[in-house]
Amino acid sequence: MSGRTDNSRRLPTDDVRAAKPGRVTPPSPTPVAGAAPDPLLRPMAGAALGGIALFVLTAVALQFVRAELDWIRTPMSFYLLGDEGRWLQAGYVALACAIVALAVGWYRALPNPARSGAPTLLFLLAATGLGVAAFAPTAQACLPPTLWNWLHGVAAQTAFLCVTTAMLLQAWRLRVDRRWRRRFAVAFAVALVAFAGVWLLALWRELPRGLAQKVLIAIIVLWLATMSVWLWRDARTPG
């Protein structure tokens, strides 16, 4: 009787561990060689590059198509007018979408300590301003000013100021992450030039408006394209 009781209480060590889940030793985790690629980053980078390319093609082409406009003195806003302006409107929308894709892509690419909602929000505001400026016509000397003209001016200024500020903040965040720190100097330097260019364009009224604005746009587009290429090549999900 007592032997049977002893045998019934004697369990193998594995059975004891199985009977008490709290004492089970978990298996050792498999070491991870590196962070896995985020499957959404390359599509976002590709979408950004595509939108930037479409904007550049339409903007450059219209400098030749609209031969009646002096490209040195005429800002981009006047190329939005007329039937040919629809092509540039499409380019503006494509660039706005590219800015959104790049903003979201870089937010996902950086690890939590390096992430910030401020540049992302400013990029979204810049994209919104760009879209509004594309369809609200600019003021013309031969016509009385309208509310739409005022809206175009506010939207264009918002787009320039927000995108260059976002560029500075986004570049500054790169220094926090070891993987992206080597990109910080170039990204921040170009962003700083663009930010200074916005204020130079606003305060120095004697500058040829068309040429100065187009140089500033080229610097901004260069920064956006460079950041898109980096995102395409090197981005991985944060560990």
Side-chain angles (χ1 to χ4, degrees), residues 76-159:
M76 290 295 296
S77 297
F78 289 89
Y79 291 86
L80 292 164
L81 303 174
D83 293 337
E84 297 89 348
R86 296 175 184 174
W87 292 101
L88 189 57
Q89 287 175 337
Y92 270 47
V93 172
L95 183 59
C97 293
I99 292 173
V100 172
L102 192 61
V104 176
W106 272 102
Y107 185 84
R108 293 176 62 92
L110 292 172
N112 288 330
R115 285 179 179 173
S116 174
T120 305
L121 178 60
L122 287 170
F123 276 131
L124 296 180
L125 289 175
T128 302
L130 191 61
V132 173
F135 296 98
T138 188
Q140 302 176 68
C142 58
L143 298 174
T146 66
L147 178 62
W148 293 110
N149 303 151
W150 174 84
L151 185 60
H152 173 90
V154 171
Q157 293 171 13
T158 299

